Amino acid sequence: MGTLFLIPNTLGETALSGVIPSEVMRRIASLRVFASENPKNTRRYLKQIDGTLPLDEFTFLEVNEHSTPRDIEACLPYLASGDVGVISEAGCPGIADPGAELVALAHRHGYRVVPLVGPSSILLALIASGFNGQAFSFNGYLPVKSNERTRALKNYERQSALENRTQLFIETPYRNLKLLEEMLRTLHPDTLLSIACDLTTPGESVRTLPVREWKRQPLPDLHKRPAIFLFYVPQPNHRPK
Amino acid sequence: MGTLFLIPNTLGETALSGVIPSEVMRRIASLRVFASENPKNTRRYLKQIDGTLPLDEFTFLEVNEHSTPRDIEACLPYLASGDVGVISEAGCPGIADPGAELVALAHRHGYRVVPLVGPSSILLALIASGFNGQAFSFNGYLPVKSNERTRALKNYERQSALENRTQLFIETPYRNLKLLEEMLRTLHPDTLLSIACDLTTPGESVRTLPVREWKRQPLPDLHKRPAIFLFYVPQPNHRPK
């Protein structure tokens, strides 16, 4: 019986040696069957890892948002006869892609699942924010409609204050600036807001400031840059002197 | 002005090449000032990374749960004159250690903060569970008192169902089995429970089963093994055929 390996990808243009452990690269290069959203991108990634891999002999299974449960089950015979790697388009598989369904299926059929270490923009943004890491929530996208979004932001802010919890969000990159403007309009001036942008790539920046300070300066250029938004309501007894 | 680098550590006895990217190791070896909870362990880790480092010339700053804001501020002059690395006892700094306070202080003083890639048991457990990665909450420890703990579990379960959210917890390793027993007693039989144990080390195991299945088999040996507990209420329209 094979093992399902969860394979990390880079978060953008960057040297592999900075984000993928060497033993993980060797493991990836030892596999012959890969499931991913875009086999063409997966081939390019494998070439980067080892230019001598005989990619024409490899099997590439497509698993995307349109895959039916039956499509995903089509991966099972490959697991029955050997190891399979599941790769995300960026970062760790199973966070914002259909990889999680394949993992769930593997568990239901008793296959071993092994996660390999690599970059996660959510985790890197969390630790770089300086916010509480002992209670945090990744909430994905906020509602699109303005009034629902405002209400959701206020609810998440209240929860942060009550539970001493860090709140994390993503946005479609071309809407980043709009989200930032709404956060600055809606959140309390004392709430701390962190923006982590282009993580692990040359343009990386992580900035944490109270909302009131963000409002005083020119807004950062976030347009079409992959970003994580985090906020945290500082607790009275943890507030700096 | 220096940069504060967030340095990953291993999650237990394991080869560095499987969990720390080579460029991250080179970056660690280039630093001369380190903040950590236990300088003795930090020295041992640095020796593992590069046995030729002149550790006697390095500066080790102790930052632990007893550190006052003033103690943490004592790190600032080092940042003013050069780079500083903050290291956790295990995994990524700032999740379950006082590193986050130093990061917050660095942001308040305008220093650059750079998170380096390494293993995070929370993130690895999440992707290996097969649960929803688009909405998840890390909740740390559950309340200790039995009735409060039962109530908290039920609330987190209700939230998982309502928000399609994965819930993650940790426990003091010698209490793992007790927590598992309470989860099996309290959670709905259809709720999926995943236990990730000894991640990235030779004893690694990740197992996801409905609560009803966990109850039918001998409980796993979790005693004193570092573990992450995750549960997820499967959504009606995502349920497998």
Side-chain angles (χ1 to χ4, degrees), chain A residues 6 16-26 69-70 73 92-97 100-101 103-104 107-108 110-120 122-141 156 159 163 165 194 199-200 204-209 238-241, chain B residues 6 16-26 69-70 73 92-97 100-101 103-104 107-108 110-120 122-141 156 159 163 165 194 199-200 204-209 238-241:
Chain A
L6 309 188
L16 291 180
S17 58
V19 292
I20 312 285
S22 58
E23 193 54 52
V24 170
M25 285 198 251
R26 270 191 291 273
R70 192 173 296 256
E73 276 169 18
C92 298
I95 301 286
D97 60 44
E101 288 179 56
V103 176
H107 280 299
R108 286 202 295 278
Y111 290 105
R112 195 165 151 241
V113 173
V114 172
L116 301 176
V117 173
S120 153
I122 295 170
L123 203 280
L124 293 169
L126 174 72
I127 65 175
S129 68
F131 297 164
N132 188 19
Q134 306 200 39
F136 65 90
S137 291
F138 175 68
N139 306 302
Y141 297 88
Y156 285 122
Q159 189 193 38
E163 302 180 9
R165 182 178 292 275
S194 185
L199 286 167
T200 74
E204 170 176 296
S205 81
V206 182
R207 197 93 180 82
T208 295
L209 289 170
H238 285 88
R239 197 162 280 173
K241 293 171 303 184
Chain B
L6 309 188
L16 290 180
S17 58
V19 293
I20 312 285
S22 58
E23 192 54 52
V24 170
M25 286 196 252
R26 269 191 291 275
R70 192 174 296 255
E73 277 169 18
C92 297
I95 301 287
D97 62 43
E101 288 178 55
V103 175
H107 280 300
R108 286 202 295 280
Y111 290 104
R112 194 165 151 239
V113 173
V114 173
L116 301 175
V117 173
S120 153
I122 295 170
L123 203 280
L124 293 169
L126 174 72
I127 65 175
S129 68
F131 297 163
N132 189 19
Q134 306 199 39
F136 65 90
S137 291
F138 176 68
N139 307 301
Y141 297 89
Y156 285 122
Q159 189 193 38
E163 301 180 8
R165 182 179 293 274
S194 186
L199 286 168
T200 74
E204 171 176 296
S205 82
V206 183
R207 196 92 182 82
T208 296
L209 288 171
H238 284 87
R239 197 164 281 174
K241 295 171 299 182

Side-chain angles (χ1 to χ4, degrees), chain A residues 13 22 24 26 34 49 69-70 93 109 123 125 128 137 145 152 173 179 191 205 207 209 223 228-230 233:
Chain A
E13 292 298 316
S22 58
V24 170
R26 270 191 291 273
F34 296 89
I49 285 183
R70 192 173 296 256
H109 288 264
L123 203 280
S137 291
K145 282 191 183 172
L179 174 61
T191 293
S205 81
R207 197 93 180 82
L209 289 170
H223 193 57
I228 307 273
F229 296 83
L230 310 86
V233 177

Side-chain angles (χ1 to χ4, degrees), chain B residues 146-208:
Chain B
S146 181
N147 57 340
E148 287 173 27
R149 178 177 284 216
T150 303
R151 201 181 319 132
L153 279 171
K154 283 188 196 292
N155 282 339
Y156 285 122
E157 190 178 41
R158 196 173 309 123
Q159 189 193 38
S160 173
L162 280 173
E163 301 180 8
N164 189 21
R165 182 179 293 274
T166 302
Q167 305 281 18
L168 297 96
F169 305 87
I170 45 171
E171 180 54 288
T172 315
Y174 75 90
R175 286 196 196 128
N176 278 341
L177 207 59
K178 192 155 175 283
L179 175 60
L180 174 56
E181 285 166 351
E182 286 188 34
M183 284 185 161
L184 296 186
R185 207 159 42 225
T186 306
L187 299 174
H188 190 283
D190 289 343
T191 293
L192 295 170
L193 174 66
S194 186
I195 304 174
C197 216
D198 287 327
L199 286 168
T200 74
T201 74
E204 171 176 296
S205 82
V206 183
R207 196 92 182 82
T208 296

Side-chain angles (χ1 to χ4, degrees), chain A residues 2-233:
Chain A
T3 292
L4 185 63
F5 287 96
L6 309 188
I7 298 177
N9 204 330
T10 61
L11 299 176
E13 292 298 316
T14 186
L16 291 180
S17 58
V19 292
I20 312 285
S22 58
E23 193 54 52
V24 170
M25 285 198 251
R26 270 191 291 273
R27 168 65 70 190
I28 298 168
S30 76
L31 299 173
R32 292 298 175 263
V33 183
F34 296 89
S36 67
E37 283 185 272
N38 185 325
K40 201 175 147 199
N41 293 343
T42 303
R43 283 169 176 272
R44 196 179 306 131
Y45 179 53
L46 293 174
K47 259 184 224 160
Q48 244 188 298
I49 285 183
D50 180 351
T52 70
L53 291 174
L55 299 184
D56 291 344
E57 300 164 19
F58 288 15
T59 302
F60 293 93
L61 307 166
E62 202 173 325
V63 174
N64 60 42
E65 52 185 329
H66 307 296
S67 299
T68 63
R70 192 173 296 256
D71 294 336
I72 293 173
E73 276 169 18
C75 300
L76 279 181
Y78 294 97
L79 258 179
S81 60
D83 295 338
V84 174
V86 52
I87 307 194
S88 173
E89 291 293 292
C92 298
I95 301 286
D97 60 44
E101 288 179 56
L102 180 51
V103 176
L105 185 69
H107 280 299
R108 286 202 295 278
H109 288 264
Y111 290 105
R112 195 165 151 241
V113 173
V114 172
L116 301 176
V117 173
S120 153
S121 54
I122 295 170
L123 203 280
L124 293 169
L126 174 72
I127 65 175
S129 68
F131 297 164
N132 188 19
Q134 306 200 39
F136 65 90
S137 291
F138 175 68
N139 306 302
Y141 297 88
L142 282 160
V144 175
K145 282 191 183 172
S146 180
N147 57 340
E148 288 174 25
R149 178 177 284 217
T150 302
R151 200 181 321 131
L153 279 171
K154 283 188 195 292
N155 282 338
Y156 285 122
E157 190 179 41
R158 197 173 309 124
Q159 189 193 38
S160 173
L162 279 173
E163 302 180 9
N164 189 20
R165 182 178 292 275
T166 302
Q167 305 282 16
L168 297 95
F169 304 88
I170 45 170
E171 181 54 288
T172 315
Y174 74 90
R175 285 196 196 130
N176 278 342
L177 207 58
K178 191 153 175 284
L179 174 61
L180 174 56
E181 285 166 351
E182 285 189 34
M183 284 185 161
L184 296 186
R185 208 158 41 224
T186 307
L187 299 174
H188 190 282
D190 288 343
T191 293
L192 295 169
L193 174 65
S194 185
I195 304 174
C197 215
D198 286 327
L199 286 167
T200 74
T201 73
E204 170 176 296
S205 81
V206 182
R207 197 93 180 82
T208 295
L209 289 170
V211 164
R212 79 166 80 249
E213 295 292 331
W214 280 111
K215 284 169 143 171
R216 276 189 197 141
Q217 47 186 260
L219 294 184
D221 174 23
L222 300 176
H223 193 57
K224 294 196 180 174
R225 295 168 68 189
I228 307 273
F229 296 83
L230 310 86
F231 67 74
Y232 174 66
V233 177

